[in-house]
Amino acid sequence: MKKILAAAIFLLVPLAASAEKADALKPVDIAFDNANVDQVTQNYVATGNVVITRGTMILKSDRAEVKESPDGWRTFILTANPGKLATFRQKRDGGPDLWGEGQAQRIEYDERNDLVKLFSKAVIRQLEGKKITQEMASEFISYDNRNEKLLGLNDANGTDKPGNGRGSITLQPRRAPAAGAAPAPAGKQ
């Protein structure tokens, strides 16, 4: 039997730099196949095609768990089934068509510290329309929204262990070169 998620869940997941601030004032809608709410422990679990929407933010996963501390701070854990990925997409402030999106097998958000962690096959992108302007891929990515800092490590446990793979960062040019500008030196293209 499906249980209705009875409590309003406050969700703020600024997963890319300058996530749209207006989203913090919007209600959270959670769609799911099944849910279990423990109001004594303030633990909420939704499973099966979970879609969490708040303003411009959309999070999707096979399972979402929300834990609330006694002082009201929440931790969100989105988990994908084996072979799948949890995803997010959110509008960014600063322009009409700026977006942040990402994916990983597990995404955790700590509301108190405004910290997002992506575990295993993690990717974060910033887009202008459909054009990717920045991208980071690694086994583990931590994003500190307060300080706008990304950390990518080659181990999905959040530690840097030699030999566990490599990460990558792609930065697109901010603008096209001016007409008549000198071509880039050989080997620098």
Coordinates of all heavy atoms in Angstrom, one line a residue, residues 41-105:
T41 N 11.1 9.6 13.9 CA 12.5 9.8 13.6 C 12.8 10.8 12.6 O 13.9 11.2 12.3 CB 13.2 8.5 13.2 OG1 12.6 8.1 11.9 CG2 13.0 7.4 14.2
Q42 N 11.7 11.4 12.0 CA 11.8 12.4 10.9 C 12.7 11.8 9.7 O 13.5 12.5 9.2 CB 12.4 13.7 11.4 CG 11.5 14.4 12.4 CD 10.2 14.8 11.7 OE1 10.2 15.5 10.8 NE2 9.1 14.2 12.3
N43 N 12.4 10.5 9.4 CA 13.1 9.9 8.2 C 12.0 9.6 7.2 O 11.0 9.0 7.5 CB 13.7 8.6 8.7 CG 14.7 8.0 7.7 OD1 15.3 8.7 7.0 ND2 14.8 6.7 7.7
Y44 N 12.3 10.0 5.9 CA 11.3 9.8 4.8 C 12.0 9.1 3.7 O 13.2 9.4 3.4 CB 10.9 11.2 4.3 CG 10.5 12.2 5.3 CD1 11.4 13.0 6.0 CD2 9.1 12.3 5.7 CE1 11.0 13.9 6.9 CE2 8.7 13.3 6.6 CZ 9.7 14.0 7.2 OH 9.3 15.0 8.2
V45 N 11.4 8.0 3.2 CA 12.0 7.2 2.1 C 10.9 7.1 1.0 O 9.8 6.7 1.2 CB 12.4 5.8 2.6 CG1 13.0 5.0 1.4 CG2 13.4 5.9 3.7
A46 N 11.3 7.5 -0.2 CA 10.5 7.4 -1.4 C 11.2 6.5 -2.4 O 12.4 6.6 -2.6 CB 10.2 8.7 -2.0
T47 N 10.5 5.6 -3.0 CA 11.1 4.6 -4.0 C 10.3 4.5 -5.2 O 9.1 4.8 -5.2 CB 11.3 3.2 -3.4 OG1 10.0 2.7 -3.0 CG2 12.2 3.2 -2.2
G48 N 10.9 4.1 -6.3 CA 10.3 3.9 -7.6 C 10.0 5.1 -8.3 O 9.1 5.8 -8.0
N49 N 10.8 5.4 -9.3 CA 10.6 6.5 -10.2 C 10.4 7.8 -9.4 O 9.4 8.6 -9.7 CB 9.5 6.3 -11.2 CG 9.7 5.1 -12.0 OD1 10.7 5.0 -12.7 ND2 8.7 4.2 -12.1
V50 N 11.3 8.1 -8.5 CA 11.2 9.3 -7.7 C 11.5 10.5 -8.5 O 12.6 10.6 -9.1 CB 12.1 9.2 -6.4 CG1 11.9 10.5 -5.6 CG2 11.7 8.0 -5.6
V51 N 10.7 11.5 -8.5 CA 10.9 12.8 -9.1 C 10.6 13.9 -8.1 O 9.5 14.0 -7.6 CB 10.0 13.0 -10.4 CG1 10.3 14.4 -11.0 CG2 10.3 11.9 -11.4
I52 N 11.6 14.7 -7.7 CA 11.5 15.8 -6.8 C 11.6 17.1 -7.5 O 12.6 17.3 -8.3 CB 12.6 15.7 -5.7 CG1 12.5 14.4 -4.9 CG2 12.4 16.9 -4.7 CD1 13.6 14.1 -4.0
T53 N 10.6 17.9 -7.4 CA 10.6 19.2 -8.1 C 10.4 20.3 -7.1 O 9.6 20.3 -6.2 CB 9.4 19.2 -9.1 OG1 9.5 18.1 -10.0 CG2 9.4 20.5 -10.0
R54 N 11.2 21.4 -7.3 CA 11.1 22.6 -6.5 C 11.5 23.7 -7.4 O 12.7 23.9 -7.7 CB 12.0 22.5 -5.3 CG 11.9 23.8 -4.5 CD 12.7 23.6 -3.3 NE 12.4 24.6 -2.3 CZ 13.0 24.9 -1.3 NH1 14.1 24.2 -1.0 NH2 12.6 25.8 -0.4
G55 N 10.5 24.5 -7.8 CA 10.8 25.6 -8.8 C 11.4 25.1 -10.0 O 10.8 24.2 -10.7
T56 N 12.6 25.5 -10.4 CA 13.3 25.1 -11.6 C 14.1 23.8 -11.4 O 14.6 23.2 -12.4 CB 14.2 26.1 -12.2 OG1 15.3 26.3 -11.3 CG2 13.5 27.4 -12.4
M57 N 14.2 23.3 -10.2 CA 15.0 22.2 -9.9 C 14.2 20.9 -10.0 O 13.1 20.8 -9.6 CB 15.5 22.3 -8.5 CG 16.4 21.1 -8.1 SD 17.0 21.2 -6.4 CE 15.4 21.4 -5.5
I58 N 14.8 19.9 -10.7 CA 14.2 18.6 -10.9 C 15.3 17.6 -10.6 O 16.4 17.6 -11.2 CB 13.7 18.4 -12.3 CG1 12.6 19.4 -12.7 CG2 13.2 17.0 -12.5 CD1 12.2 19.4 -14.1
L59 N 15.0 16.7 -9.6 CA 15.9 15.6 -9.2 C 15.2 14.3 -9.5 O 14.0 14.2 -9.2 CB 16.2 15.7 -7.7 CG 16.8 16.9 -7.2 CD1 16.2 17.4 -5.9 CD2 18.3 16.6 -7.0
K60 N 15.9 13.3 -10.1 CA 15.3 12.0 -10.4 C 16.2 10.9 -9.9 O 17.4 11.0 -10.1 CB 15.1 11.9 -11.9 CG 14.1 12.9 -12.5 CD 14.0 12.7 -14.0 CE 13.0 13.7 -14.6 NZ 12.8 13.6 -16.0
S61 N 15.6 9.9 -9.3 CA 16.3 8.7 -8.8 C 15.3 7.6 -8.6 O 14.1 7.8 -8.6 CB 17.1 9.0 -7.6 OG 16.2 9.2 -6.5
D62 N 15.9 6.4 -8.3 CA 15.1 5.3 -8.0 C 14.7 5.3 -6.6 O 13.7 4.7 -6.2 CB 15.9 4.0 -8.3 CG 16.2 3.9 -9.8 OD1 15.2 3.9 -10.6 OD2 17.4 3.7 -10.2
R63 N 15.5 6.0 -5.7 CA 15.2 6.0 -4.3 C 15.7 7.3 -3.7 O 16.7 7.8 -4.1 CB 16.0 4.9 -3.6 CG 15.7 4.8 -2.1 CD 16.5 3.5 -1.6 NE 16.1 3.2 -0.2 CZ 16.6 3.8 0.9 NH1 17.5 4.8 0.8 NH2 16.2 3.5 2.1
A64 N 14.9 7.9 -2.8 CA 15.3 9.2 -2.2 C 15.0 9.0 -0.7 O 13.9 8.6 -0.3 CB 14.5 10.4 -2.7
E65 N 16.0 9.4 0.1 CA 15.8 9.3 1.6 C 16.1 10.7 2.1 O 17.1 11.4 1.7 CB 16.8 8.3 2.2 CG 16.6 8.2 3.7 CD 17.5 7.1 4.3 OE1 18.2 6.4 3.5 OE2 17.4 6.9 5.5
V66 N 15.2 11.2 3.0 CA 15.4 12.5 3.7 C 15.5 12.2 5.2 O 14.6 11.6 5.7 CB 14.3 13.4 3.4 CG1 14.5 14.8 4.0 CG2 14.1 13.6 1.9
K67 N 16.6 12.7 5.8 CA 16.7 12.6 7.2 C 16.8 14.0 7.8 O 17.5 14.8 7.3 CB 18.0 11.9 7.6 CG 18.1 10.4 7.1 CD 19.4 9.8 7.4 CE 19.5 8.4 6.9 NZ 20.7 7.7 7.2
E68 N 16.0 14.2 8.9 CA 15.9 15.5 9.5 C 16.5 15.4 10.9 O 16.1 14.6 11.7 CB 14.5 16.0 9.6 CG 14.4 17.4 10.1 CD 13.0 18.0 10.0 OE1 12.2 17.6 9.1 OE2 12.7 18.9 10.8
S69 N 17.4 16.3 11.2 CA 18.1 16.3 12.6 C 17.1 17.0 13.5 O 16.2 17.7 13.1 CB 19.4 17.1 12.5 OG 19.1 18.5 12.2
P70 N 17.3 16.8 14.8 CA 16.4 17.4 15.8 C 16.3 19.0 15.7 O 15.3 19.6 16.1 CB 17.0 17.0 17.2 CG 17.7 15.7 16.9 CD 18.3 15.9 15.5
D71 N 17.4 19.6 15.2 CA 17.4 21.0 15.0 C 16.8 21.5 13.7 O 16.9 22.7 13.3 CB 18.7 21.7 15.3 CG 19.9 21.1 14.5 OD1 19.6 20.2 13.7 OD2 21.0 21.6 14.6
G72 N 16.3 20.6 12.9 CA 15.6 20.9 11.7 C 16.4 20.9 10.4 O 15.8 21.2 9.3
W73 N 17.7 20.6 10.4 CA 18.5 20.5 9.2 C 18.3 19.2 8.5 O 18.1 18.1 9.2 CB 20.0 20.7 9.5 CG 20.3 22.1 10.0 CD1 20.5 22.5 11.2 CD2 20.4 23.3 9.2 NE1 20.8 23.8 11.3 CE2 20.7 24.3 10.0 CE3 20.2 23.5 7.8 CZ2 20.8 25.6 9.6 CZ3 20.4 24.8 7.4 CH2 20.7 25.8 8.2
R74 N 18.3 19.1 7.2 CA 18.0 17.9 6.5 C 19.2 17.4 5.7 O 20.0 18.3 5.2 CB 16.8 18.1 5.6 CG 15.5 18.3 6.4 CD 14.3 18.5 5.5 NE 13.1 18.8 6.3 CZ 12.7 20.0 6.7 NH1 13.4 21.0 6.3 NH2 11.7 20.1 7.4
T75 N 19.3 16.1 5.5 CA 20.2 15.5 4.6 C 19.4 14.7 3.6 O 18.5 14.0 4.0 CB 21.2 14.5 5.4 OG1 21.9 15.3 6.4 CG2 22.2 13.9 4.4
F76 N 19.7 14.9 2.3 CA 19.0 14.2 1.2 C 20.0 13.2 0.6 O 21.1 13.6 0.2 CB 18.5 15.2 0.2 CG 17.6 16.3 0.8 CD1 18.1 17.4 1.3 CD2 16.2 16.1 0.8 CE1 17.3 18.4 1.9 CE2 15.4 17.1 1.3 CZ 15.9 18.2 1.9
I77 N 19.5 12.0 0.3 CA 20.3 11.0 -0.3 C 19.5 10.4 -1.5 O 18.4 9.8 -1.2 CB 20.7 9.9 0.7 CG1 21.5 10.5 1.9 CG2 21.6 8.8 0.0 CD1 21.6 9.5 3.0
L78 N 20.0 10.6 -2.7 CA 19.3 10.1 -3.9 C 20.2 8.9 -4.4 O 21.4 9.1 -4.6 CB 19.2 11.1 -5.0 CG 18.5 12.4 -4.5 CD1 18.7 13.5 -5.5 CD2 17.0 12.1 -4.4
T79 N 19.6 7.8 -4.6 CA 20.3 6.6 -5.0 C 19.6 6.0 -6.3 O 18.4 5.8 -6.3 CB 20.3 5.5 -3.9 OG1 20.7 6.1 -2.7 CG2 21.2 4.4 -4.2
A80 N 20.5 5.6 -7.2 CA 20.0 4.9 -8.4 C 20.2 3.4 -8.3 O 21.1 3.0 -7.6 CB 20.8 5.4 -9.6
N81 N 19.3 2.7 -9.0 CA 19.5 1.2 -9.0 C 20.8 0.9 -9.8 O 21.3 1.7 -10.6 CB 18.3 0.6 -9.7 CG 17.1 0.6 -8.8 OD1 17.1 0.7 -7.6 ND2 15.9 0.5 -9.5
P82 N 21.3 -0.3 -9.6 CA 22.5 -0.7 -10.4 C 22.4 -0.5 -11.9 O 21.3 -0.8 -12.4 CB 22.7 -2.2 -10.0 CG 22.0 -2.3 -8.7 CD 20.9 -1.4 -8.7
G83 N 23.4 0.1 -12.5 CA 23.4 0.4 -13.9 C 22.7 1.7 -14.3 O 22.6 2.0 -15.5
K84 N 22.1 2.4 -13.3 CA 21.4 3.6 -13.6 C 22.1 4.8 -12.9 O 23.0 4.5 -12.1 CB 19.9 3.5 -13.1 CG 19.1 2.5 -13.9 CD 17.7 2.6 -13.5 CE 16.7 1.8 -14.3 NZ 15.3 1.9 -13.8
L85 N 21.6 6.0 -13.1 CA 22.2 7.2 -12.5 C 21.1 8.1 -11.9 O 20.0 8.2 -12.5 CB 23.0 8.0 -13.5 CG 24.2 7.3 -14.0 CD1 24.9 8.1 -15.2 CD2 25.2 7.0 -12.9
A86 N 21.3 8.7 -10.8 CA 20.4 9.7 -10.2 C 20.8 11.0 -11.0 O 22.0 11.2 -11.3 CB 20.6 9.9 -8.7
T87 N 19.9 11.9 -11.2 CA 20.1 13.1 -12.0 C 19.5 14.3 -11.4 O 18.6 14.2 -10.6 CB 19.6 13.0 -13.5 OG1 18.2 12.9 -13.4 CG2 20.1 11.8 -14.2
F88 N 20.0 15.5 -11.8 CA 19.4 16.7 -11.3 C 19.6 17.7 -12.5 O 20.5 17.6 -13.3 CB 20.1 17.3 -10.1 CG 21.5 17.8 -10.2 CD1 21.8 19.0 -10.7 CD2 22.5 16.9 -10.0 CE1 23.1 19.5 -10.9 CE2 23.8 17.3 -10.2 CZ 24.1 18.6 -10.6
R89 N 18.7 18.7 -12.4 CA 18.8 19.9 -13.4 C 18.2 21.1 -12.7 O 17.1 20.9 -12.0 CB 18.0 19.6 -14.7 CG 18.1 20.7 -15.7 CD 17.5 20.3 -17.0 NE 17.3 21.3 -17.9 CZ 18.2 21.8 -18.8 NH1 19.4 21.2 -18.8 NH2 17.9 22.8 -19.6
Q90 N 18.8 22.2 -12.7 CA 18.3 23.4 -12.1 C 18.8 24.7 -12.8 O 19.9 24.7 -13.3 CB 18.8 23.5 -10.6 CG 18.3 24.7 -9.9 CD 18.7 24.7 -8.4 OE1 19.7 24.1 -8.0 NE2 17.9 25.3 -7.6
K91 N 17.9 25.6 -12.9 CA 18.2 26.9 -13.6 C 19.2 27.6 -12.7 O 19.2 27.5 -11.5 CB 17.0 27.8 -13.7 CG 17.3 29.1 -14.3 CD 16.2 29.6 -15.2 CE 16.4 30.9 -15.9 NZ 17.7 31.5 -15.7
R92 N 20.1 28.4 -13.3 CA 21.1 29.2 -12.6 C 20.7 30.7 -12.8 O 20.2 31.1 -13.8 CB 22.5 29.0 -13.1 CG 23.0 27.6 -12.9 CD 24.5 27.4 -13.3 NE 24.6 27.6 -14.8 CZ 25.6 28.4 -15.3 NH1 26.4 29.0 -14.6 NH2 25.6 28.5 -16.6
D93 N 21.0 31.5 -11.7 CA 20.9 32.9 -11.8 C 21.9 33.5 -12.8 O 22.9 32.9 -13.1 CB 21.1 33.6 -10.5 CG 19.9 33.4 -9.6 OD1 18.7 33.2 -10.1 OD2 20.1 33.4 -8.3
G94 N 21.6 34.7 -13.4 CA 22.6 35.3 -14.2 C 22.2 35.4 -15.7 O 23.0 36.0 -16.4
G95 N 21.1 34.8 -16.1 CA 20.7 34.9 -17.5 C 19.5 34.1 -17.7 O 19.1 33.2 -16.9
P96 N 18.9 34.3 -18.9 CA 17.6 33.6 -19.1 C 17.7 32.1 -19.4 O 16.7 31.4 -19.2 CB 17.0 34.4 -20.3 CG 18.3 34.9 -21.0 CD 19.3 35.1 -20.0
D97 N 18.8 31.6 -19.9 CA 18.8 30.2 -20.2 C 20.1 29.5 -19.7 O 20.8 28.8 -20.5 CB 18.7 30.1 -21.8 CG 18.2 28.7 -22.2 OD1 17.7 27.9 -21.4 OD2 18.4 28.4 -23.4
L98 N 20.4 29.8 -18.4 CA 21.6 29.2 -17.8 C 21.1 28.0 -16.9 O 20.2 28.2 -16.1 CB 22.4 30.2 -17.0 CG 22.9 31.4 -17.7 CD1 23.5 32.4 -16.7 CD2 23.8 31.0 -18.8
W99 N 21.8 26.9 -17.0 CA 21.4 25.7 -16.3 C 22.6 25.0 -15.7 O 23.7 25.1 -16.1 CB 20.7 24.7 -17.2 CG 19.4 25.3 -17.8 CD1 19.3 26.0 -18.9 CD2 18.1 25.2 -17.2 NE1 18.0 26.4 -19.1 CE2 17.2 25.9 -18.0 CE3 17.6 24.6 -16.0 CZ2 15.9 26.0 -17.7 CZ3 16.3 24.7 -15.8 CH2 15.4 25.4 -16.6
G100 N 22.3 24.2 -14.6 CA 23.3 23.3 -14.0 C 22.6 21.9 -14.0 O 21.4 21.8 -13.8
E101 N 23.4 20.9 -14.3 CA 22.9 19.6 -14.3 C 24.0 18.6 -14.0 O 25.2 18.9 -14.1 CB 22.2 19.2 -15.6 CG 23.2 19.1 -16.8 CD 22.5 18.7 -18.1 OE1 21.3 19.0 -18.3 OE2 23.2 18.2 -19.0
G102 N 23.6 17.4 -13.5 CA 24.6 16.4 -13.2 C 24.0 15.1 -13.0 O 22.7 14.9 -13.0
Q103 N 24.8 14.1 -12.7 CA 24.4 12.7 -12.5 C 25.5 12.0 -11.7 O 26.6 12.3 -11.7 CB 24.2 12.1 -13.9 CG 25.4 12.0 -14.7 CD 25.2 11.6 -16.2 OE1 24.2 11.9 -16.7 NE2 26.1 10.8 -16.7
A104 N 25.0 10.9 -11.1 CA 25.9 10.0 -10.3 C 25.1 8.9 -9.9 O 23.8 8.9 -9.9 CB 26.5 10.7 -9.1
Q105 N 25.7 7.8 -9.4 CA 24.9 6.7 -8.8 C 24.3 7.1 -7.5 O 23.2 6.6 -7.2 CB 25.8 5.5 -8.7 CG 26.1 4.9 -10.1 CD 27.0 3.6 -10.0 OE1 27.7 3.4 -9.1 NE2 26.8 2.7 -11.0

